[in-house]
């Protein structure tokens, strides 16, 4: 069994017997409309879907149909349209977004012309009676017209596939030097991108571009060129396409069972591996009308390939190819309301509520503070895969959440950089955090919080401060998903432990500790003192404050109860149990319960 990590060519996957989750049963559903826009986060398998459609509909591959599709769902009952189109495919991820607007236009037109040239050579070589297509190097729109004229003299219409339609535009806006002016030059009334889509729209009548399927990451570009192309049906919220990209639970359980058997592991290993993948990679829902989660396919294949190759799990569960999504969090962190959103997500069980997910927002929404309200910010994070649908409130607002532990790691890293911009502070804080799980020593981390980290919070409104804010500060330094399954607000018998750090099952050979922490917060006004008075307290005086004493005792009871339940659930834990109590954002003390 081979895993097609990084491979999106359907023909190669089938012919070379790679692992493939059959989605060909979606083809009849896709034939219900002629022009469609399908949006999913990057690295979620969109290109493979396009490659599947290309191989299914391409008239030049008619003789390969049985070889490619005979063993798949659609092979048993193909549609009338199979192998009946010329296929023209554009991949806008190949368009270089650097340089001036004129430079981008030139690169865009070169790509279009190159694809048209390849189209002509392929079908001419395969002896279709296709008249010559005249390529105009200065005007790709002329080349499109020439292609359509040539095609009109044949019995075959064109199926147009556009992959990553918004890739170079998104890169232009999210890059190191974002450029509104260059982007505007592409999408204004006579901009090259808008005029391209206007030409496509004008060519969808009759037998020219009979069908169009477009993929992308967000609706931003399509919103900005609406008058240029307003005929695409948005299918990305439809429940029947929730799993068009992504892997299902049952599919992964089946392949893990096979790997476990090949590696000679006991059957218990199946559930262990499934649970690990579920924790790190599951959690995506793209439709309000379904409750079936799907797994990120790129991350899943990354895991499965490593597991199959060496019978061990990957050391780092985050595939570095996905780590660039941090740029989206950085963009949000630079927006005033966005900073609060990221903090709130960490503090409120990684969930946020919005009135809706916006189906349309343009570049002005991304660049204008007045437009960047909660709906926009949440929608932006949803489209880029760092939030996913989690249901509806009783008031019929949509709940979104951080989908899994991999995405949580990106959040934590971004918040740490946001709150501790100096590398020296981050390094010193991380060194102090290591002592908690390496030596069971909480004192250095508490000192770091008092002396350096709490300064960051002095500008935050004390009225909103609580133990969740305290927990977030500690979590940004303690977070380590290489060693631990990190769980904030872990449910234990219908109650919630503030932070658990349970060693990954494949990492239990080390000498580090499992960790359980309960956080408590005492407001300065409740203790009857000012910030200056709090800073002057000795350690003993701090611990004798009645409010601190009460919170500490309450925390100890909770930790003892949670610790007992965790031991029963997991067994064989080396559990270090702590209660951490803060007095405002000035002082912090802790109690370590005896190791059992």
């Amino acid at each position: 069994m081979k895993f097609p990590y990084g491979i999106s060519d359907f023909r190669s996957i089938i012919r070379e017997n790679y692992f493939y989750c059959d989605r060909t049963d979606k083809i009849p559903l896709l034939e219900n409309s002629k022009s469609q826009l399908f949006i999913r986060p990057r690295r979620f398998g969109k290109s493979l879907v396009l490659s599947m459609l290309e191989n299914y509909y391409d008239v030049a591959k008619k003789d390969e149909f049985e070889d490619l599709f005979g063993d798949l769902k659609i092979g048993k009952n193909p549609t009338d349209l199979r192998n009946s189109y010329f296929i023209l495919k554009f991949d806008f991820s190949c368009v270089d977004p650097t340089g001036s607007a004129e430079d981008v236009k030139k690169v865009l037109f070169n790509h279009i012309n190159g694809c048209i040239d390849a189209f002509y050579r392929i079908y001419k070589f395969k002896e279709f009676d296709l008249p010559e297509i005249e390529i105009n190097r200065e005007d790709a729109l002329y080349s499109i017209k020439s292609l359509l004229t040539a095609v009109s003299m044949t019995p075959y219409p064109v199926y147009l596939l556009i992959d990553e339609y918004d890739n170079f535009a998104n890169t232009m806006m999210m890059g190191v030097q974002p450029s509104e002016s260059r982007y505007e030059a592409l999408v204004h009334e006579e901009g090259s991108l808008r005029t391209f889509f206007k030409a496509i729209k004008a060519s969808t009548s009759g037998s020219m571009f009979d069908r169009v399927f477009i993929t992308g990451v967000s609706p931003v570009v399509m919103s900005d060129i609406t008058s240029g192309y307003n005929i695409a049906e948005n299918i990305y919220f439809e429940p029947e396409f929730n799993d068009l990209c992504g892997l299902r639970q049952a599919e992964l359980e089946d392949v893990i069972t096979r790997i476990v058997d090949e590696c000679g592991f006991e059957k218990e290993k199946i559930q262990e591996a499934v649970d690990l993948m579920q924790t790190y990679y599951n959690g995506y829902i793209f439709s309000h009308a379904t409750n079936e989660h799907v797994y990120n396919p790129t991350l899943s294949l990354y895991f499965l390939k490593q597991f199959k190759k060496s019978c061990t799990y990957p050391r780092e569960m985050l595939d570095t190819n996905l780590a660039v999504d941090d740029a989206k969090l950085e963009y949000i962190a630079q927006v005033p309301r966005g900073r609060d959103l990221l903090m709130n997500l960490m503090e409120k069980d990684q969930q946020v509520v919005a009135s809706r997910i916006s189906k349309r927002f343009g570049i002005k929404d991304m660049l204008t503070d007045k437009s960047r309200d909660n709906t926009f910010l949440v929608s932006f994070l949803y489209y880029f895969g760092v939030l996913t649908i989690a249901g509806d409130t009783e008031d019929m607002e949509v709940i979104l959440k951080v989908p899994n532990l991999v995405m949580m790691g990106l959040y934590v890293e971004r918040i740490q950089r946001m709150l501790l911009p100096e590398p020296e502070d981050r390094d010193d804080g991380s060194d102090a955090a290591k002592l908690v799980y390496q030596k069971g020593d909480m004192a250095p981390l508490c000192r770091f919080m008092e002396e350096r980290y709490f300064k960051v919070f002095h500008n935050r409104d004390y009225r909103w401060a609580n133990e969740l804010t305290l927990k977030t500060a500690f979590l940004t330094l303690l977070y380590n998903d290489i060693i631990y399954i990190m769980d904030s607000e872990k449910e234990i018998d219908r109650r919630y432990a503030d932070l658990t750090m349970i060693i990954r099952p494949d990492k239990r050979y080390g000498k580090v500790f499992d960790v359980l922490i309960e956080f408590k917060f005492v407001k300065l006004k409740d203790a009857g003192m000012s910030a200056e008075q709090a800073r002057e307290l000795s350690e003993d005086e701090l611990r004798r404050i009645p409010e601190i004493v009460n919170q500490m005792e309450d925390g100890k009871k909770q930790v003892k109860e949670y610790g007992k339940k965790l031991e029963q659930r997991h067994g064989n834990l080396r559990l270090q149990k702590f209660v951490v109590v803060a007095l405002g954002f000035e002082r912090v003390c802790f109690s370590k319960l005896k190791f059992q």
Side-chain angles (χ1 to χ4, degrees), residues 258-325:
R258 293 162 63 186
I259 294 174
V260 166
D261 184 59
E262 290 176 14
C263 290
F265 292 125
E266 298 294 329
K267 296 298 183 184
E268 290 77 9
K269 193 74 171 179
I270 297 172
Q271 193 60 50
E272 177 187 287
V274 168
D275 288 345
L276 197 63
M277 290 193 73
Q278 190 170 42
T279 298
Y280 280 89
Y281 303 147
N282 198 11
Y284 295 93
I285 289 182
F286 299 105
S287 171
H288 295 279
T290 185
N291 58 7
E292 182 181 21
H293 295 82
V294 293
Y295 288 71
N296 179 295
T298 299
L299 289 172
S300 298
L301 292 174
Y302 162 78
F303 179 96
L304 293 170
K305 184 177 181 180
Q306 170 70 22
F307 193 20
K308 171 69 167 60
K309 178 181 177 181
S310 62
C311 295
T312 60
Y313 306 142
R315 173 176 171 78
E316 297 187 39
M317 298 293 284
L318 172 60
D319 174 15
T320 54
N321 285 316
L322 204 70
V324 295
D325 281 349

Side-chain angles (χ1 to χ4, degrees), residues 366-531:
M366 294 179 65
L367 298 174
T368 306
D369 283 340
K370 291 182 180 179
S371 301
R372 293 185 288 201
D373 57 13
N374 184 65
T375 298
F376 164 76
L377 295 172
V378 167
S379 300
F380 178 89
L381 291 176
Y382 162 79
Y383 284 113
F384 285 96
V386 287
L387 285 178
T388 195
I389 297 171
D392 295 316
T393 68
E394 293 180 352
D395 298 324
M396 301 311 297
E397 292 189 303
V398 60
I399 304 170
L400 296 103
K401 69 174 184 177
V402 181
N404 48 51
L405 208 56
V406 159
M407 282 300 167
M408 175 59 67
L410 294 179
Y411 272 97
V412 169
E413 183 178 352
R414 174 47 47 196
I415 290 175
Q416 186 192 89
R417 289 177 178 271
M418 185 173 75
L419 298 179
L420 295 174
E422 296 300 323
E424 182 180 358
D425 287 336
R426 294 199 297 271
D427 288 343
D428 290 348
S430 296
D431 288 342
K434 288 177 185 177
L435 295 175
V436 175
Y437 53 82
Q438 290 178 348
K439 304 296 183 182
D441 186 0
M442 179 68 75
L445 184 56
C446 288
R447 285 197 301 271
F448 179 86
M449 287 291 171
E450 278 190 350
E451 296 169 5
R452 295 161 77 174
Y453 212 155
F454 279 177
K455 294 177 182 178
V456 176
F457 292 101
H458 285 173
N459 294 328
R460 289 178 64 86
D461 195 329
Y462 267 46
R463 289 177 300 172
W464 309 114
N466 54 34
E467 63 267 15
L468 296 177
T469 313
L470 177 67
K471 178 192 69 178
T472 297
F474 274 80
L475 180 60
T476 59
L477 295 175
L478 286 166
Y479 198 90
N480 184 328
D481 57 6
I482 294 177
I483 302 174
Y484 292 99
I485 295 176
M486 307 286 301
D487 206 334
S488 174
E489 297 294 312
K490 183 177 183 64
E491 184 177 359
I492 303 176
D493 286 356
R494 298 185 180 182
R495 300 184 67 187
Y496 293 89
D498 282 342
L499 180 60
T500 62
M501 301 169 61
I502 305 300
I503 301 169
R504 278 173 42 178
D506 57 319
K507 302 293 183 183
R508 299 214 68 88
Y509 59 84
K511 294 183 178 180
V512 296
F513 295 104
D514 302 281
V515 178
L516 168 63
I517 307 175
E518 188 70 18
F519 296 99
K520 299 295 182 181
F521 188 85
V522 176
K523 293 185 178 182
L524 290 171
K525 67 175 183 179
D526 292 340
M529 64 180 63
S530 65

Side-chain angles (χ1 to χ4, degrees), residues 46 162 191 204 206 211 224 258 267 287 319 413 421 426 536 591:
K46 300 184 295 295
I162 304 178
T204 54
R211 290 182 176 271
D224 285 328
R258 293 162 63 186
K267 296 298 183 184
S287 171
D319 174 15
E413 183 178 352
R426 294 199 297 271
E536 292 175 359
S591 180

Side-chain angles (χ1 to χ4, degrees), residues 89-218:
K89 184 177 179 181
F90 300 133
D91 182 358
F92 284 178
S93 68
C94 300
V95 178
D96 185 356
T98 60
S100 66
E102 191 60 32
D103 292 332
V104 176
K105 175 183 177 180
K106 185 178 295 185
V107 174
L108 173 63
F109 279 13
N110 284 343
H111 176 72
I112 294 169
N113 279 324
C115 293
I116 293 174
D117 188 44
F119 174 96
Y120 174 71
R121 293 175 184 274
I122 288 170
Y123 290 111
K124 192 69 175 178
F125 175 77
K126 294 186 177 181
E127 300 182 355
F128 288 89
D129 190 18
L130 184 65
E132 183 176 358
I133 298 174
E134 184 177 348
I135 304 294
N136 187 323
R137 300 297 172 188
E138 302 300 320
D139 186 359
L141 302 185
Y142 178 89
S143 304
I144 291 174
K145 290 179 182 178
S146 179
L147 177 147
L148 292 172
T149 300
V151 167
S152 67
M153 300 178 187
T154 75
Y156 303 108
V158 176
Y159 198 141
L160 175 61
L161 304 172
I162 304 178
D163 200 8
E164 304 289 357
Y165 90 102
D166 57 341
N167 182 277
F168 71 95
N170 285 331
T171 303
M172 184 182 293
M173 292 312 306
M174 304 299 296
V176 177
Q177 293 181 322
S179 173
E180 178 183 5
S181 60
R182 285 190 296 135
Y183 178 85
E184 286 287 356
L186 293 175
V187 299
H188 68 62
E189 190 61 35
E190 298 303 321
S192 55
L193 193 59
R194 182 187 288 261
T195 54
F196 164 77
F197 276 102
K198 285 173 67 175
I200 299 303
K201 175 183 175 182
S203 303
T204 54
S205 59
S207 60
M208 293 182 283
F209 288 139
D210 186 60
R211 290 182 176 271
V212 182
F213 192 87
I214 303 170
T215 75
V217 172
S218 80

